[in-house]
Amino acid sequence: MLIISLLTHIQHCIERYQTRKALNKLSEQQMQDIGLSHEKRQAELSQASFIGVVSDLLRTNSKGDLS
């Protein structure tokens, strides 16, 4: 069960990485449509790297479970 949970967590981290990379392709109008500010976009894009993925992998929720 732990292995399945770990693999699921890794999959979610990869999905977040891909989503962050996709943010770079959005126009300013599209950013306004989804309610994302330029500052928040930059913050998310800064996490779209190997270091960001590792940071996500090491993050746990308040219960201590993998998020």
Side-chain angles (χ1 to χ4, degrees):
M1 191 66 157
L2 180 62
I3 293 173
I4 293 171
S5 179
L6 179 61
L7 292 175
T8 302
H9 181 65
I10 291 170
Q11 180 181 8
H12 289 295
C13 291
I14 291 169
E15 289 171 1
R16 279 192 295 271
Y17 169 79
Q18 292 170 339
T19 301
R20 288 172 173 151
K21 292 299 263 187
L23 282 176
N24 198 34
K25 298 177 183 177
L26 296 179
S27 69
E28 287 299 319
Q29 181 61 46
Q30 290 170 320
M31 296 298 294
Q32 287 179 352
D33 289 346
I34 63 172
L36 199 60
S37 69
H38 181 73
E39 293 79 20
K40 181 65 176 168
R41 177 185 184 181
Q42 290 304 112
E44 289 296 329
L45 288 176
S46 71
Q47 291 292 312
S49 65
F50 178 74
I51 293 172
V53 172
V54 171
S55 172
D56 279 349
L57 284 171
L58 298 176
R59 186 175 303 137
T60 58
N61 65 17
S62 61
K63 294 179 184 176
D65 300 329
L66 295 175
S67 58

